[in-house]
Amino acid sequence: MNLNSIAHKLHKAAAQARPTTQISSDRSINLDESYAIQSIVLSERYLEGNKLTGFKLGFTSRAKMEQMGVEDMIWGRLTTDMEYLNDQVVHVDRFIHPRAEPEIAFTVKKDIDKILSEDDIEEYIESYHLAVEIIDSRYENFKFSLADVIADNCSSAGYCIGDPYPTTTNIKNIEMSLSIDGKLVHSGNSNNILGNPLESLEAMSRLALSHGQSIKAGHIILAGAATPAVHIKGTTNVSAQAAGLGQVNIRVQ
Ligand code: OOG
Ligand code: MG
């Protein structure tokens, strides 16, 4: 199978909410090929009228690496069809085996033209948010290699961003948690994300620059989860909390 047909197979699996086999079970691919497949998958989404809304990092915490059995950071793209508002209903039938995780998100203020450090935040970042990310691997049993998951746009499926908080808000060393139907299921510290969640801005700007991908004003960046993800089929309410960043809810149907 060439890269186009692999991308098409992944796009179809997402569109039809039917799992597919791992690429690595048919042939070996390197990470450059995986990112090339991801770009083609995204072109198919754009052709259907969806627009790029931002970016996500994955496997920025040990908790996530260990849950999924991988060892490196990855990045993917977010699109308009993945957006949910706080308290919005999420119809899980559009997904295969969705999971949710609490995240920190950033809204970009100014087109990013360099690798960001903490000193650049005021100039380039508009606001901080708590978020819930919905991930949905297009592979059977949510099993993949690093190359597989990159090609699959890092399992990106949905995201819900909470209220904006100014960049003077402290987001280092804060507790983040995820509750399902009112019961706490996971909690973790924001510093589990790369030692401090602001580091994700450095990582995302560096990765985007090295792949020739521009990050523009208005884009969202998801920093990666500080806790493992939880299955959400059959639940009714998913909420994330983080000290100082409020709460984000999705209603699952
Ligand atoms: C890949 C996506 C990882 C995160 O926050 O670490 C991710 C997956 O676990 O399927 O979104
Ligand atoms: Mg995530």
Side-chain angles (χ1 to χ4, degrees):
M1 262 203 187
N2 63 27
L3 303 190
N4 279 315
S5 19
I6 297 170
H8 187 64
K9 176 177 104 142
L10 284 165
H11 180 67
K12 222 172 66 190
Q16 300 177 344
R18 285 216 202 102
T20 184
T21 51
Q22 290 178 57
I23 307 162
S24 52
S25 64
D26 287 343
R27 56 165 279 184
S28 69
I29 45 165
N30 61 40
L31 299 191
D32 286 341
E33 290 173 309
S34 300
Y35 279 110
I37 296 169
Q38 184 190 123
S39 292
I40 305 169
V41 170
L42 266 289
S43 331
E44 296 209 25
R45 279 193 178 238
Y46 301 149
L47 275 177
E48 289 173 355
N50 303 303
K51 303 252 178 328
L52 180 70
T53 55
F55 303 89
K56 66 171 275 184
L57 287 168
F59 307 134
T60 47
S61 70
R62 285 303 324 159
K64 282 288 301 183
M65 286 190 196
E66 277 163 23
Q67 181 182 33
M68 305 316 296
V70 298
E71 279 297 328
D72 216 348
M73 202 169 19
I74 57 177
W75 69 279
R77 289 150 166 123
L78 306 171
T79 50
T80 37
D81 54 321
M82 299 179 192
E83 285 174 311
Y84 288 98
L85 301 176
N86 206 346
D87 276 324
Q88 198 180 334
V89 169
V90 173
H91 293 282
V92 278
D93 285 351
R94 68 177 283 218
F95 304 121
I96 302 165
H97 34 208
R99 299 180 181 185
E101 52 192 20
E103 300 236 1
I104 286 172
F106 304 94
T107 301
V108 176
K109 189 195 297 190
K110 173 177 167 186
D111 296 1
I112 298 179
D113 47 11
K114 59 188 263 198
I115 298 176
L116 299 187
S117 73
E118 270 193 47
D119 294 340
D120 300 313
I121 288 177
E122 209 195 312
E123 187 180 349
Y124 286 88
I125 301 299
E126 180 73 39
S127 47
Y128 298 162
H129 314 248
L130 179 64
V132 170
E133 186 186 11
I134 301 169
I135 51 173
D136 189 35
S137 176
R138 268 54 71 164
Y139 300 113
E140 288 162 350
N141 306 315
F142 226 113
K143 287 246 155 57
F144 45 69
S145 68
L146 202 60
D148 286 322
V149 68
I150 291 167
D152 184 27
N153 194 22
C154 305
S155 308
S156 306
Y159 65 90
C160 175
I161 303 288
D163 292 339
Y165 286 81
T167 55
T168 46
T169 310
N170 173 53
I171 56 168
K172 291 184 187 172
N173 195 22
I174 57 170
E175 277 308 294
M176 305 181 61
S177 60
L178 192 78
S179 303
I180 299 283
D181 297 336
K183 264 209 213 99
L184 177 73
V185 280
H186 283 303
S187 63
N189 189 287
S190 64
N191 283 3
N192 293 350
I193 305 161
L194 298 173
N196 144 20
L198 295 175
E199 289 293 317
S200 64
L201 292 171
E202 188 272 344
M204 192 62 241
S205 52
R206 182 173 44 76
L207 289 166
L209 269 180
S210 73
H211 283 85
Q213 171 68 60
S214 50
I215 304 180
K216 303 265 192 219
H219 279 155
I220 299 289
I221 296 174
L222 288 179
T227 68
V230 287
H231 293 277
I232 56 169
K233 260 196 177 159
T235 63
T236 52
N237 253 300
V238 177
S239 74
Q241 296 86 20
L245 290 180
Q247 183 161 320
V248 174
N249 302 306
I250 52 172
R251 293 187 286 134
V252 176
Q253 273 180 19

